[in-house]
């Protein structure tokens, strides 16, 4: 699918792509590498790369809208924390919590980083073409996106809020996202916001290749583990 807005999508990719010139705490299971760094970020590939599982359907609803959910991302460049918005985005949070708790994201790459814009991960193939085997329509925000937001990537042909496993964190100017409104809502299913460690997300973004804003980072970047904390 080719979108006429500020992004282009590969139909099978659930991948957020910037179009040029226009107007998605570690544990003993995380296998975090111990040696090799570039600019303060580790370079060794983790031994584990997701659970490799494909699902026949979206997960059942298990999150509680009255509970507090926090996601800690342990990455190549350190840790950052996201407050998940279960009150306003229960379907989006439920999908993410399910995949994170299943170990789906452990060892996967940040396969796209765009300078002054976003970092994107959650593809089990690392190519921009993978997902969990299903998609689900989650909540779309009614407010503009902000720097530090966590949201689902989707193809341009899919309904606002559609989610698979790929997500992005806004690390720079969210203006291009806010220009792609669909009626009174925005296209990408928001479900959380970075509350600590945004500098780590920006450090990951610093490996963007300016001459190739739709491509991979200049060196492999990884999610070692995503840990979910639930407080009722």
């Amino acid at each position: 699918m080719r979108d006429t807005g500020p992004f282009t999508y590969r139909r099978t990719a659930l991948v957020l792509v910037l179009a040029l010139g226009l107007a998605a705490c570690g544990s003993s299971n995380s296998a975090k590498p111990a040696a090799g760094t570039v600019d303060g970020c580790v370079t060794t590939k983790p031994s584990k790369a997701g659970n490799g599982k494909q699902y026949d359907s979206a997960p059942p609803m298990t999150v509680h809208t009255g509970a507090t959910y926090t996601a800690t991302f342990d990455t190549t460049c350190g840790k950052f924390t996201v407050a998940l918005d279960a009150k306003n985005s229960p379907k989006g949070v439920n999908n993410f919590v399910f995949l994170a708790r299943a170990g789906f994201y452990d060892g996967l790459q940040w396969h796209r980083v765009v300078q002054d814009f976003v970092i994107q991960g959650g593809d089990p193939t690392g190519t921009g073409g993978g997902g969990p085997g299903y998609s689900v329509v989650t909540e779309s925000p009614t407010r503009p996106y902000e720097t530090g937001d966590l949201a689902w990537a989707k193809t341009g042909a899919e309904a606002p809020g559609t989610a698979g496993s790929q997500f992005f964190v806004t690390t720079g100017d969210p203006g291009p996202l806010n220009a792609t409104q669909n009626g009174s809502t925005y296209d990408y299913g928001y479900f959380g916001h970075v509350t600590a460690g945004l500098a780590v997300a920006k450090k990951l973004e610093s490996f963007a290749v300016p001459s190739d804003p739709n491509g991979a980072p200049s060196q492999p970047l990884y999610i070692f583990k995503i840990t979910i904390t639930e407080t009722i």
Side-chain angles (χ1 to χ4, degrees), residues 36-115:
T37 63
V38 170
D39 196 19
C41 299
V42 296
T43 59
T44 308
K45 181 178 179 180
S47 59
K48 181 179 179 181
N51 64 12
K53 187 171 182 179
Q54 294 287 284
Y55 300 89
D56 293 330
S57 61
M61 179 63 68
T62 59
V63 302
H64 306 283
T65 56
T68 298
Y69 293 88
T70 300
T72 301
F73 288 67
D74 188 1
T75 80
T76 292
C77 296
K79 296 181 182 181
F80 65 89
T81 302
V82 174
L84 302 178
D85 191 354
K87 179 179 179 181
N88 296 305
S89 306
K91 293 179 182 178
V93 171
N94 186 73
N95 187 54
F96 185 77
V97 167
F98 168 78
L99 292 171
R101 284 177 168 169
F104 188 90
Y105 295 123
D106 297 356
L108 299 189
Q109 295 185 48
W110 296 97
H111 62 275
R112 285 193 67 254
V113 292
V114 182
Q115 188 175 35

Side-chain angles (χ1 to χ4, degrees), residues 18 20 110-119 202-221:
L18 178 67
L20 296 176
W110 296 97
H111 62 275
R112 285 193 67 254
V113 292
V114 182
Q115 188 175 35
D116 299 322
F117 188 37
V118 299
I119 57 175
K202 288 181 176 290
K203 172 64 82 171
L204 292 163
E205 181 224 285
S206 73
F207 289 91
V209 179
S211 62
D212 185 14
N214 298 327
S218 59
Q219 71 171 53
L221 305 172

